[in-house]
Structure formats: structure tokens, C-alpha cells
Coordinates of all heavy atoms in Angstrom, one line a residue:
M1 N 9.2 -13.2 8.5 CA 7.9 -13.2 8.0 C 7.9 -12.7 6.6 O 8.5 -11.7 6.2 CB 7.0 -12.2 8.9 CG 5.6 -12.0 8.4 SD 5.0 -10.7 9.6 CE 3.3 -10.8 9.2
V2 N 7.1 -13.4 5.7 CA 7.0 -13.0 4.4 C 6.0 -11.9 4.2 O 4.9 -11.9 4.7 CB 6.5 -14.3 3.5 CG1 6.4 -13.8 2.1 CG2 7.5 -15.4 3.7
M3 N 6.4 -10.8 3.4 CA 5.6 -9.8 3.1 C 4.4 -10.2 2.3 O 4.5 -11.1 1.4 CB 6.2 -8.6 2.4 CG 7.3 -7.9 3.2 SD 7.9 -6.4 2.3 CE 8.6 -7.1 0.8
P4 N 3.2 -9.6 2.5 CA 2.0 -10.0 1.7 C 2.3 -9.9 0.1 O 1.9 -10.7 -0.6 CB 1.0 -9.0 2.2 CG 1.3 -8.6 3.5 CD 2.8 -8.7 3.5
I5 N 3.0 -8.9 -0.2 CA 3.3 -8.7 -1.7 C 4.2 -9.9 -2.2 O 4.0 -10.4 -3.3 CB 3.9 -7.3 -2.0 CG1 3.9 -7.0 -3.5 CG2 5.4 -7.2 -1.5 CD1 2.7 -6.4 -4.0
S6 N 5.1 -10.4 -1.4 CA 6.0 -11.4 -1.9 C 5.2 -12.7 -2.0 O 5.4 -13.5 -2.9 CB 7.1 -11.7 -0.8 OG 7.9 -10.5 -0.7
R7 N 4.3 -12.9 -1.1 CA 3.5 -14.1 -1.1 C 2.6 -14.1 -2.4 O 2.4 -15.1 -3.0 CB 2.7 -14.3 0.1 CG 1.8 -15.4 0.3 CD 1.1 -15.5 1.6 NE 0.8 -14.4 2.3 CZ -0.3 -13.5 2.0 NH1 -1.1 -13.9 1.1 NH2 -0.6 -12.4 2.6
L8 N 2.0 -13.0 -2.7 CA 1.1 -12.8 -3.8 C 1.8 -12.9 -5.2 O 1.3 -13.4 -6.2 CB 0.3 -11.6 -3.7 CG -0.7 -11.6 -2.6 CD1 -1.3 -10.3 -2.4 CD2 -1.8 -12.6 -2.7
I9 N 3.0 -12.3 -5.3 CA 3.7 -12.3 -6.6 C 4.5 -13.6 -6.8 O 5.0 -13.9 -7.9 CB 4.7 -11.1 -6.7 CG1 5.8 -11.1 -5.7 CG2 3.9 -9.8 -6.7 CD1 6.8 -10.0 -5.9
A10 N 4.5 -14.5 -5.9 CA 5.2 -15.7 -6.1 C 4.6 -16.6 -7.2 O 5.4 -17.3 -7.9 CB 5.2 -16.6 -4.8
N11 N 3.3 -16.4 -7.5 CA 2.7 -17.3 -8.4 C 2.4 -16.5 -9.8 O 1.7 -16.9 -10.6 CB 1.3 -17.7 -8.0 CG 1.4 -18.6 -6.7 OD1 2.5 -19.4 -6.7 ND2 0.5 -18.5 -5.8
I12 N 3.1 -15.3 -9.9 CA 2.9 -14.5 -11.1 C 4.2 -14.5 -11.8 O 5.4 -14.5 -11.2 CB 2.6 -13.0 -10.7 CG1 1.2 -12.9 -10.0 CG2 2.5 -12.2 -12.0 CD1 0.9 -11.7 -9.4
D13 N 4.1 -14.6 -13.1 CA 5.4 -14.6 -14.0 C 6.0 -13.2 -14.1 O 5.5 -12.5 -14.9 CB 5.0 -15.2 -15.3 CG 6.3 -15.4 -16.1 OD1 7.4 -15.7 -15.6 OD2 6.2 -15.4 -17.4
L14 N 7.0 -13.0 -13.3 CA 7.6 -11.6 -13.2 C 9.1 -11.7 -13.2 O 9.6 -12.8 -12.7 CB 7.3 -10.9 -11.9 CG 5.8 -10.5 -11.6 CD1 5.6 -10.0 -10.2 CD2 5.3 -9.5 -12.7
T15 N 9.8 -10.8 -13.8 CA 11.3 -10.9 -13.7 C 11.7 -10.5 -12.2 O 10.9 -9.9 -11.5 CB 11.8 -9.8 -14.7 OG1 11.5 -8.4 -14.3 CG2 11.4 -10.1 -16.1
R16 N 12.9 -10.7 -12.0 CA 13.4 -10.3 -10.6 C 13.3 -8.8 -10.5 O 13.0 -8.3 -9.3 CB 14.8 -10.8 -10.5 CG 15.5 -10.6 -9.1 CD 14.7 -11.3 -8.1 NE 15.0 -10.7 -6.7 CZ 14.1 -10.3 -5.8 NH1 12.8 -10.4 -6.0 NH2 14.5 -9.8 -4.7
E17 N 13.6 -8.0 -11.5 CA 13.5 -6.6 -11.4 C 12.1 -6.2 -11.1 O 11.8 -5.3 -10.3 CB 14.0 -6.0 -12.7 CG 13.9 -4.4 -12.8 CD 14.5 -3.8 -14.0 OE1 15.2 -4.4 -14.7 OE2 14.1 -2.7 -14.2
Q18 N 11.1 -6.7 -11.8 CA 9.7 -6.4 -11.6 C 9.3 -6.7 -10.1 O 8.6 -6.0 -9.5 CB 8.7 -7.2 -12.5 CG 8.8 -6.7 -13.9 CD 8.1 -7.5 -15.0 OE1 8.1 -8.8 -14.8 NE2 7.4 -7.0 -15.9
E19 N 9.7 -7.9 -9.6 CA 9.4 -8.3 -8.2 C 10.0 -7.2 -7.3 O 9.4 -6.8 -6.3 CB 10.0 -9.6 -7.9 CG 9.3 -10.8 -8.5 CD 10.0 -12.1 -8.3 OE1 10.9 -12.2 -7.5 OE2 9.5 -13.1 -8.9
H20 N 11.3 -6.8 -7.5 CA 11.9 -5.8 -6.8 C 11.2 -4.5 -6.7 O 10.9 -3.8 -5.7 CB 13.4 -5.7 -7.2 CG 14.2 -4.6 -6.4 ND1 14.5 -4.9 -5.1 CD2 14.7 -3.5 -6.6 CE1 15.2 -3.9 -4.6 NE2 15.3 -3.0 -5.5
V21 N 10.7 -4.0 -7.9 CA 10.0 -2.7 -8.0 C 8.7 -2.9 -7.2 O 8.4 -2.0 -6.4 CB 9.6 -2.5 -9.5 CG1 8.6 -1.4 -9.6 CG2 10.9 -2.0 -10.3
L22 N 8.0 -4.0 -7.3 CA 6.7 -4.2 -6.5 C 7.0 -4.2 -5.0 O 6.2 -3.5 -4.3 CB 6.1 -5.6 -6.9 CG 5.2 -5.4 -8.1 CD1 4.9 -6.8 -8.6 CD2 4.0 -4.6 -8.0
E23 N 8.1 -4.8 -4.5 CA 8.5 -4.8 -3.2 C 8.8 -3.4 -2.6 O 8.4 -3.0 -1.6 CB 9.6 -5.8 -3.0 CG 9.2 -7.2 -3.0 CD 10.3 -8.2 -3.1 OE1 11.5 -7.7 -3.1 OE2 10.1 -9.4 -3.2
L24 N 9.6 -2.6 -3.5 CA 9.9 -1.3 -3.1 C 8.6 -0.3 -3.0 O 8.4 0.3 -2.1 CB 10.8 -0.6 -4.2 CG 12.3 -1.1 -4.1 CD1 13.0 -0.5 -5.4 CD2 12.9 -0.8 -2.8
A25 N 7.7 -0.5 -4.0 CA 6.5 0.2 -4.0 C 5.6 -0.2 -2.9 O 5.0 0.7 -2.3 CB 5.8 0.1 -5.4
F26 N 5.6 -1.4 -2.5 CA 4.7 -1.9 -1.4 C 5.2 -1.3 -0.1 O 4.4 -0.7 0.6 CB 4.8 -3.4 -1.4 CG 4.0 -4.0 -0.3 CD1 2.6 -4.0 -0.3 CD2 4.5 -4.6 0.8 CE1 1.8 -4.6 0.7 CE2 3.9 -5.1 1.8 CZ 2.5 -5.2 1.8
N27 N 6.5 -1.4 0.1 CA 7.0 -0.8 1.4 C 6.8 0.8 1.4 O 6.4 1.3 2.4 CB 8.5 -1.0 1.5 CG 8.7 -2.5 1.9 OD1 8.0 -3.0 2.7 ND2 9.7 -3.1 1.3
H28 N 7.0 1.4 0.3 CA 6.7 2.9 0.2 C 5.2 3.2 0.5 O 5.0 4.1 1.3 CB 7.2 3.4 -1.2 CG 7.0 4.9 -1.3 ND1 7.7 5.7 -0.6 CD2 6.2 5.6 -2.1 CE1 7.4 7.0 -1.0 NE2 6.5 7.0 -1.9
A29 N 4.4 2.5 -0.1 CA 2.9 2.7 0.1 C 2.5 2.5 1.6 O 1.8 3.2 2.2 CB 2.1 1.7 -0.7
L30 N 3.1 1.4 2.2 CA 2.8 1.1 3.6 C 3.3 2.2 4.5 O 2.6 2.7 5.5 CB 3.4 -0.2 4.0 CG 2.9 -1.5 3.4 CD1 3.4 -2.7 4.1 CD2 1.3 -1.5 3.4
R31 N 4.5 2.8 4.1 CA 4.9 3.9 4.9 C 4.1 5.2 4.7 O 3.7 5.9 5.8 CB 6.4 4.3 4.5 CG 7.4 3.4 5.2 CD 8.8 4.0 5.0 NE 9.2 4.2 3.5 CZ 9.7 3.3 2.7 NH1 9.9 2.0 3.2 NH2 10.0 3.5 1.5
K32 N 3.5 5.4 3.6 CA 2.7 6.6 3.3 C 1.3 6.3 4.1 O 0.7 7.3 4.4 CB 2.4 6.7 1.9 CG 3.7 7.3 1.1 CD 3.3 7.7 -0.3 CE 2.5 8.9 -0.3 NZ 3.1 10.2 -0.1
L33 N 0.9 5.1 4.2 CA -0.3 4.9 4.9 C -0.1 4.6 6.4 O -1.1 4.4 7.1 CB -1.1 3.6 4.3 CG -1.5 3.7 2.9 CD1 -1.9 2.4 2.3 CD2 -2.7 4.7 2.9
D34 N 1.2 4.7 6.8 CA 1.6 4.6 8.2 C 1.2 3.1 8.8 O 0.7 3.0 9.9 CB 0.9 5.7 9.0 CG 1.8 6.1 10.2 OD1 3.1 5.7 10.2 OD2 1.3 6.8 11.1
L35 N 1.4 2.2 7.9 CA 1.0 0.7 8.4 C 2.3 0.1 8.7 O 3.2 0.1 8.0 CB 0.3 0.1 7.2 CG -1.1 0.5 6.8 CD1 -1.5 0.0 5.5 CD2 -2.1 0.2 7.9
V36 N 2.4 -0.4 10.0 CA 3.6 -1.1 10.4 C 3.5 -2.5 10.6 O 4.4 -3.3 10.6 CB 4.1 -0.4 11.7 CG1 4.5 1.1 11.4 CG2 3.0 -0.5 12.8
D37 N 2.3 -3.1 10.8 CA 2.0 -4.5 11.1 C 1.7 -5.1 9.8 O 0.7 -5.0 9.2 CB 0.9 -4.6 12.0 CG 0.6 -6.1 12.3 OD1 1.4 -7.1 11.9 OD2 -0.4 -6.4 13.0
R38 N 2.7 -5.9 9.3 CA 2.6 -6.6 8.0 C 1.6 -7.7 7.9 O 1.1 -8.1 6.9 CB 4.0 -7.2 7.5 CG 5.1 -6.2 7.3 CD 4.7 -5.1 6.2 NE 5.8 -4.3 5.8 CZ 6.1 -3.1 6.2 NH1 5.3 -2.6 7.1 NH2 7.1 -2.4 5.7
S39 N 1.1 -8.1 9.1 CA 0.1 -9.1 9.2 C -1.3 -8.4 9.2 O -2.4 -9.1 9.1 CB 0.2 -10.0 10.4 OG 0.1 -9.3 11.6
D40 N -1.4 -7.1 9.2 CA -2.7 -6.4 9.2 C -3.4 -6.8 7.8 O -2.8 -6.7 6.7 CB -2.4 -4.9 9.2 CG -3.7 -4.1 9.5 OD1 -4.7 -4.3 8.8 OD2 -3.6 -3.2 10.3
P41 N -4.6 -7.1 7.8 CA -5.4 -7.4 6.6 C -5.4 -6.2 5.5 O -5.4 -6.5 4.3 CB -6.8 -7.7 7.1 CG -6.8 -8.0 8.5 CD -5.5 -7.2 9.0
I42 N -5.2 -5.0 6.0 CA -5.1 -3.9 5.0 C -3.9 -4.1 4.2 O -3.9 -3.7 3.0 CB -5.2 -2.5 5.8 CG1 -6.5 -2.4 6.3 CG2 -4.9 -1.4 4.8 CD1 -6.8 -1.1 7.1
C43 N -2.8 -4.7 4.7 CA -1.6 -4.8 3.9 C -1.9 -5.8 2.7 O -1.3 -5.6 1.6 CB -0.5 -5.4 4.8 SG 0.1 -4.2 6.0
D44 N -2.7 -6.8 2.9 CA -3.1 -7.6 1.9 C -3.9 -6.9 0.7 O -3.7 -7.0 -0.4 CB -3.9 -8.8 2.3 CG -3.2 -10.0 3.0 OD1 -2.0 -10.1 2.7 OD2 -3.7 -10.7 3.7
L45 N -4.8 -6.1 1.2 CA -5.5 -5.2 0.3 C -4.6 -4.3 -0.5 O -4.8 -4.1 -1.7 CB -6.5 -4.3 1.1 CG -7.3 -3.3 0.3 CD1 -8.3 -4.1 -0.7 CD2 -8.2 -2.5 1.2
V46 N -3.6 -3.7 0.2 CA -2.6 -2.8 -0.5 C -1.9 -3.7 -1.6 O -1.7 -3.2 -2.7 CB -1.7 -2.2 0.4 CG1 -0.5 -1.5 -0.2 CG2 -2.4 -1.2 1.4
A47 N -1.5 -4.9 -1.2 CA -0.6 -5.7 -2.1 C -1.6 -6.1 -3.3 O -1.0 -6.0 -4.5 CB -0.1 -6.9 -1.4
K48 N -2.8 -6.5 -3.1 CA -3.7 -6.9 -4.2 C -3.9 -5.7 -5.2 O -3.9 -5.8 -6.4 CB -4.9 -7.5 -3.7 CG -4.7 -8.8 -3.0 CD -6.0 -9.4 -2.4 CE -5.7 -10.7 -1.7 NZ -6.9 -11.2 -1.0
R49 N -4.2 -4.6 -4.6 CA -4.5 -3.4 -5.3 C -3.3 -3.0 -6.2 O -3.3 -2.6 -7.4 CB -4.8 -2.2 -4.5 CG -5.3 -1.0 -5.2 CD -6.6 -1.1 -6.0 NE -7.7 -1.7 -5.2 CZ -8.7 -1.0 -4.7 NH1 -8.6 0.3 -4.8 NH2 -9.6 -1.6 -4.0
M50 N -2.1 -3.1 -5.6 CA -0.8 -2.7 -6.3 C -0.5 -3.7 -7.4 O -0.1 -3.2 -8.5 CB 0.4 -2.8 -5.3 CG 1.7 -2.3 -6.0 SD 2.9 -2.0 -4.6 CE 2.3 -0.5 -3.9
I51 N -0.8 -4.9 -7.2 CA -0.5 -6.0 -8.4 C -1.5 -5.6 -9.5 O -1.1 -5.6 -10.7 CB -0.8 -7.3 -7.8 CG1 0.4 -7.7 -6.9 CG2 -0.9 -8.3 -8.9 CD1 0.3 -8.9 -6.0
G52 N -2.7 -5.2 -9.1 CA -3.7 -4.9 -10.2 C -3.2 -3.7 -10.9 O -3.4 -3.6 -12.2
I53 N -2.7 -2.7 -10.3 CA -2.2 -1.5 -10.9 C -1.0 -1.8 -11.7 O -0.8 -1.3 -12.9 CB -1.8 -0.4 -9.9 CG1 -3.1 0.2 -9.2 CG2 -1.1 0.8 -10.5 CD1 -2.8 0.9 -8.0
H54 N -0.1 -2.7 -11.3 CA 1.0 -3.1 -12.1 C 0.6 -3.8 -13.4 O 1.2 -3.6 -14.5 CB 1.9 -4.0 -11.2 CG 3.1 -4.5 -12.0 ND1 3.3 -5.6 -12.6 CD2 4.3 -3.9 -12.0 CE1 4.4 -5.8 -13.1 NE2 5.2 -4.8 -12.8
R55 N -0.4 -4.5 -13.3 CA -1.0 -5.3 -14.5 C -1.5 -4.4 -15.5 O -1.6 -4.7 -16.6 CB -2.0 -6.3 -14.0 CG -1.4 -7.6 -13.4 CD -2.5 -8.5 -13.0 NE -1.9 -9.9 -12.6 CZ -2.5 -10.7 -11.9 NH1 -3.7 -10.5 -11.5 NH2 -1.8 -11.8 -11.4
R56 N -2.0 -3.2 -15.0 CA -2.5 -2.2 -16.0 C -1.3 -1.5 -16.7 O -1.6 -0.5 -17.5 CB -3.4 -1.2 -15.3 CG -4.6 -1.8 -14.8 CD -5.6 -0.8 -14.2 NE -5.1 0.1 -13.3 CZ -5.6 0.5 -12.1 NH1 -6.8 -0.1 -11.7 NH2 -5.1 1.4 -11.3
G57 N 0.0 -1.8 -16.5 CA 1.1 -1.2 -17.1 C 1.9 -0.2 -16.3 O 2.8 0.3 -16.9
V58 N 1.6 0.0 -15.1 CA 2.4 0.9 -14.3 C 3.6 0.2 -13.7 O 3.4 -0.8 -13.1 CB 1.6 1.5 -13.1 CG1 2.5 2.5 -12.3 CG2 0.4 2.3 -13.6
S59 N 4.8 0.5 -14.1 CA 6.0 -0.2 -13.7 C 7.0 0.6 -12.9 O 8.0 0.0 -12.4 CB 6.7 -0.8 -14.9 OG 7.1 0.3 -15.8
D60 N 6.7 1.9 -12.6 CA 7.6 2.7 -11.8 C 7.2 2.6 -10.3 O 6.0 2.7 -10.0 CB 7.5 4.2 -12.2 CG 8.3 5.1 -11.4 OD1 9.5 5.1 -11.5 OD2 7.7 5.8 -10.6
A61 N 8.2 2.3 -9.4 CA 7.9 2.1 -8.0 C 7.1 3.3 -7.4 O 6.2 3.0 -6.6 CB 9.2 1.8 -7.3
V62 N 7.7 4.4 -7.6 CA 7.0 5.6 -7.0 C 5.5 5.8 -7.5 O 4.6 6.1 -6.7 CB 7.9 6.9 -7.2 CG1 7.1 8.1 -6.7 CG2 9.2 6.7 -6.5
A63 N 5.4 5.6 -8.8 CA 4.0 5.8 -9.4 C 3.1 4.7 -8.8 O 1.9 4.9 -8.5 CB 4.1 5.8 -10.9
L64 N 3.6 3.5 -8.7 CA 2.8 2.4 -8.2 C 2.4 2.6 -6.7 O 1.2 2.5 -6.4 CB 3.6 1.0 -8.2 CG 3.6 0.2 -9.4 CD1 4.7 -0.9 -9.4 CD2 2.2 -0.4 -9.6
A65 N 3.3 3.1 -5.9 CA 3.0 3.4 -4.6 C 1.9 4.6 -4.5 O 1.0 4.4 -3.8 CB 4.2 3.8 -3.8
E66 N 2.1 5.6 -5.2 CA 1.2 6.8 -5.1 C -0.2 6.4 -5.6 O -1.2 6.7 -5.0 CB 1.8 7.9 -6.0 CG 3.1 8.4 -5.5 CD 2.9 9.3 -4.1 OE1 2.0 9.7 -3.8 OE2 4.0 9.2 -3.3
M67 N -0.2 5.7 -6.8 CA -1.6 5.3 -7.2 C -2.3 4.3 -6.2 O -3.5 4.5 -6.1 CB -1.4 4.7 -8.7 CG -1.0 5.6 -9.7 SD -0.7 4.9 -11.3 CE -2.4 4.6 -11.7
T68 N -1.5 3.4 -5.7 CA -2.1 2.5 -4.8 C -2.7 3.1 -3.5 O -3.8 2.9 -3.0 CB -1.1 1.5 -4.3 OG1 -0.6 0.8 -5.5 CG2 -1.6 0.4 -3.4
V69 N -1.9 4.1 -3.0 CA -2.3 4.9 -1.8 C -3.6 5.6 -2.2 O -4.6 5.7 -1.4 CB -1.2 5.8 -1.3 CG1 -1.8 6.9 -0.3 CG2 -0.1 5.0 -0.7
R70 N -3.7 6.3 -3.3 CA -4.8 7.0 -3.8 C -6.1 6.1 -3.8 O -7.1 6.5 -3.4 CB -4.6 7.8 -5.1 CG -4.1 9.2 -4.9 CD -4.2 10.0 -6.2 NE -3.7 9.3 -7.4 CZ -2.5 9.5 -7.9 NH1 -1.6 10.1 -7.3 NH2 -2.2 8.8 -9.0
E71 N -5.9 5.0 -4.4 CA -7.0 4.0 -4.6 C -7.4 3.4 -3.3 O -8.6 3.1 -3.2 CB -6.6 2.9 -5.7 CG -6.5 3.5 -7.1 CD -6.4 2.4 -8.1 OE1 -6.7 1.2 -7.8 OE2 -6.1 2.7 -9.3
I72 N -6.5 3.2 -2.4 CA -6.8 2.5 -1.1 C -7.6 3.6 -0.2 O -8.6 3.3 0.4 CB -5.6 2.2 -0.3 CG1 -4.9 1.0 -1.0 CG2 -5.9 1.9 1.1 CD1 -5.8 -0.3 -1.0
R73 N -7.1 4.9 -0.3 CA -7.7 6.0 0.5 C -9.2 6.3 0.1 O -10.1 6.5 0.9 CB -6.9 7.2 0.6 CG -5.7 7.1 1.5 CD -4.9 8.5 1.4 NE -3.8 8.4 2.5 CZ -2.8 9.0 2.3 NH1 -2.6 9.9 1.4 NH2 -1.9 8.9 3.3
A74 N -9.3 6.3 -1.2 CA -10.6 6.7 -1.8 C -11.8 5.9 -1.3 O -12.8 6.4 -0.8 CB -10.6 6.8 -3.3
P75 N -11.8 4.6 -1.4 CA -13.0 3.8 -1.0 C -13.1 3.8 0.5 O -14.3 3.7 1.0 CB -12.8 2.4 -1.5 CG -11.5 2.5 -2.2 CD -10.9 3.8 -2.1
L76 N -12.1 4.0 1.3 CA -12.1 3.9 2.7 C -12.7 5.1 3.4 O -13.5 5.1 4.3 CB -10.7 3.6 3.4 CG -10.1 2.3 3.1 CD1 -8.7 2.2 3.7 CD2 -11.1 1.2 3.7
F77 N -12.4 6.3 2.8 CA -12.7 7.6 3.4 C -13.2 8.6 2.5 O -13.2 9.8 2.6 CB -11.6 8.2 4.1 CG -11.1 7.3 5.3 CD1 -10.0 6.5 5.1 CD2 -11.7 7.3 6.5 CE1 -9.5 5.7 6.2 CE2 -11.2 6.5 7.5 CZ -10.1 5.8 7.4
G78 N -13.8 8.2 1.3 CA -14.0 9.2 0.3 C -12.6 9.5 -0.3 O -11.8 8.7 -0.5
V79 N -12.4 10.8 -0.5 CA -11.0 11.2 -0.9 C -10.4 11.7 0.3 O -10.7 12.8 0.8 CB -11.2 12.3 -2.0 CG1 -9.7 12.8 -2.4 CG2 -11.9 11.8 -3.2
L80 N -9.5 10.9 0.9 CA -8.8 11.3 2.1 C -7.6 12.2 1.8 O -6.6 11.8 1.1 CB -8.3 9.9 2.8 CG -7.6 10.1 4.1 CD1 -8.6 10.5 5.1 CD2 -7.1 8.7 4.5
P81 N -7.6 13.4 2.3 CA -6.4 14.2 2.1 C -5.2 13.6 2.6 O -5.2 12.9 3.5 CB -6.8 15.5 2.9 CG -8.3 15.4 3.2 CD -8.7 13.9 3.2
A82 N -4.0 14.0 2.0 CA -2.8 13.4 2.5 C -2.4 13.8 3.8 O -1.6 13.1 4.4 CB -1.6 13.9 1.5
S83 N -3.1 14.8 4.4 CA -2.7 15.3 5.9 C -3.4 14.2 6.8 O -3.0 14.3 7.9 CB -3.2 16.6 6.0 OG -4.6 16.7 5.9
L84 N -4.3 13.5 6.3 CA -5.0 12.5 7.2 C -4.3 11.1 7.1 O -3.8 10.8 6.0 CB -6.4 12.4 7.0 CG -7.2 13.6 7.1 CD1 -8.7 13.2 6.8 CD2 -7.1 14.2 8.4
S85 N -4.1 10.4 8.1 CA -3.4 9.1 8.0 C -4.2 8.0 8.6 O -5.1 8.1 9.4 CB -2.1 9.4 9.0 OG -1.5 8.2 9.2
L86 N -3.9 6.8 8.1 CA -4.5 5.5 8.6 C -3.6 5.0 9.7 O -3.1 4.0 9.7 CB -4.5 4.5 7.5 CG -5.4 4.8 6.3 CD1 -5.2 3.7 5.3 CD2 -6.8 4.9 6.8
R87 N -3.4 5.7 10.8 CA -2.5 5.4 11.8 C -2.9 4.0 12.4 O -3.6 3.9 13.3 CB -2.5 6.4 12.9 CG -1.9 7.7 12.5 CD -0.8 8.1 13.4 NE -0.3 9.3 12.9 CZ 1.0 9.3 12.6 NH1 1.8 8.2 12.7 NH2 1.6 10.4 12.1
R88 N -2.3 2.9 11.8 CA -2.7 1.5 12.3 C -1.8 1.3 13.6 O -2.2 0.3 14.2 CB -2.4 0.6 11.2 CG -3.2 0.7 9.9 CD -4.7 0.6 10.3 NE -5.0 -0.8 10.7 CZ -6.2 -1.2 10.6 NH1 -7.2 -0.5 10.3 NH2 -6.4 -2.5 11.0
R89 N -0.8 2.0 13.9 CA -0.1 1.8 15.1 C -1.0 1.7 16.3 O -0.9 0.9 17.2 CB 1.0 2.7 15.3 CG 2.1 2.6 14.4 CD 3.3 3.6 14.7 NE 4.2 3.6 13.7 CZ 4.6 4.6 13.0 NH1 4.1 5.8 13.2 NH2 5.5 4.5 12.0
D90 N -1.9 2.8 16.4 CA -2.8 2.8 17.5 C -4.2 2.5 17.2 O -5.1 2.7 17.9 CB -2.6 4.2 18.2 CG -2.9 5.3 17.2 OD1 -3.3 5.1 16.1 OD2 -2.7 6.4 17.6
R91 N -4.4 2.0 15.9 CA -5.8 1.6 15.4 C -6.7 2.7 15.3 O -8.0 2.6 15.4 CB -6.3 0.5 16.3 CG -5.5 -0.8 16.2 CD -5.9 -1.5 14.9 NE -5.2 -2.8 14.9 CZ -5.0 -3.5 13.9 NH1 -5.6 -3.1 12.8 NH2 -4.4 -4.6 13.9
Q92 N -6.2 4.0 15.3 CA -7.1 5.1 15.1 C -6.6 6.0 14.0 O -5.5 6.2 13.7 CB -7.2 5.9 16.4 CG -7.7 5.3 17.6 CD -7.7 6.1 18.9 OE1 -7.3 7.2 18.8 NE2 -8.0 5.6 19.9
A93 N -7.6 6.6 13.3 CA -7.2 7.6 12.2 C -6.9 8.9 13.0 O -7.4 9.2 14.0 CB -8.4 7.7 11.2
T94 N -6.0 9.6 12.4 CA -5.7 10.9 13.0 C -6.4 12.0 12.1 O -6.4 12.0 10.9 CB -4.2 11.2 13.1 OG1 -3.6 11.0 11.7 CG2 -3.5 10.2 14.0
Y95 N -6.9 13.0 12.8 CA -7.6 14.0 12.0 C -7.2 15.4 12.5 O -6.9 15.5 13.7 CB -9.2 13.9 12.3 CG -9.7 12.6 11.9 CD1 -9.9 11.5 12.8 CD2 -10.1 12.3 10.5 CE1 -10.3 10.3 12.3 CE2 -10.5 11.1 10.1 CZ -10.7 10.1 11.1 OH -11.2 8.9 10.6
P96 N -7.3 16.4 11.7 CA -6.9 17.7 12.1 C -7.9 18.2 13.1 O -9.1 17.8 13.2 CB -6.9 18.5 10.8 CG -7.7 17.7 9.8 CD -7.6 16.3 10.2
A97 N -7.5 19.2 13.9 CA -8.3 19.8 15.0 C -9.5 20.5 14.3 O -9.3 21.0 13.2 CB -7.6 20.7 15.8
C98 N -10.7 20.2 14.8 CA -11.9 20.9 14.3 C -11.9 22.3 14.9 O -11.7 22.6 16.0 CB -13.1 20.2 14.8 SG -13.2 18.5 14.1
P99 N -12.2 23.4 14.0 CA -12.4 24.7 14.5 C -13.5 24.8 15.4 O -14.5 24.2 15.3 CB -12.6 25.5 13.3 CG -13.0 24.6 12.2 CD -12.5 23.2 12.6
S100 N -13.4 25.6 16.5 CA -14.5 25.8 17.5 C -15.5 26.7 17.0 O -15.4 27.6 16.3 CB -13.9 26.5 18.7 OG -13.0 25.6 19.3

């Protein structure tokens, strides 16, 4: 199965090194978001957002992943703390226990 990022960057003029950086960053971002199903529509959103960030001049894999995760979390949940996860494995977000 082709990763969403690979499919999207196929039509962009990038060096092999730039493609590799985007693929590394994409995988890192998906791990941070706890996304395991590459066919999940959110993965396409992550890939598109990451390509946009790369076009703005960010070329470091870790920075790309971190910025993408921040930008994905913000519109979905306001500013989602890092302690909260988009647990797509079970299709439910995980939240800390509410105080009684």
C-alpha cells in the first residue's frame, strides 16, 4: 500500500532527499497522533498539511512533524494538549480522568 504522502509528492518536483525527509516526518507525525491505519482520511489531511508546511520552507523532518501535529490538533480540538491523543485504533479520543 502506498502511503498518502508518497502519492501526493509524486507530482511535486522534489529531490530524493526531500522526499525521504517528508516520508520520515509523515511517519513521525502519524506516530505522534497515534494513527495506524494509513487509509484513514485523516492521514491524507496530515500529508497535505505537511506538504504545505514544507512549501513554506521547513525542511527538517522533526520540525515538519511537530508543526504538522500542532496544526492538525488545533482545528480539531482547539489547542489539544500533548497528553491527549487521537487514538484512531479504537476510534475514540482518550482523555484524562475528570476530577470528582
Side-chain angles (χ1 to χ4, degrees):
M1 177 185 195
V2 176
M3 288 190 301
I5 194 87
S6 299
R7 183 175 29 82
L8 292 171
I9 63 176
N11 298 323
I12 301 173
D13 187 27
L14 299 171
T15 66
R16 182 64 196 127
E17 182 179 339
Q18 289 171 320
E19 289 176 6
H20 183 67
V21 166
L22 281 165
E23 290 167 358
L24 287 173
F26 180 71
N27 285 320
H28 183 65
L30 294 185
R31 279 192 302 276
K32 289 191 72 69
L33 293 168
D34 214 13
L35 295 166
V36 294
D37 180 4
R38 298 302 194 258
S39 63
D40 191 317
I42 293 179
C43 292
D44 280 337
L45 177 67
V46 171
K48 289 174 184 175
R49 185 65 55 99
M50 183 170 289
I51 290 168
I53 294 169
H54 183 266
R55 285 183 172 158
R56 293 190 310 227
V58 179
S59 59
D60 177 74
V62 174
L64 273 169
E66 296 294 330
M67 290 176 73
T68 302
V69 168
R70 268 196 311 269
E71 287 189 17
I72 292 294
R73 283 182 174 154
L76 291 176
F77 298 99
V79 177
L80 184 66
S83 63
L84 301 183
S85 171
L86 295 174
R87 293 232 175 247
R88 298 300 293 196
R89 286 188 191 120
D90 56 7
R91 297 280 183 194
Q92 295 178 3
T94 56
Y95 300 95
C98 295
S100 301

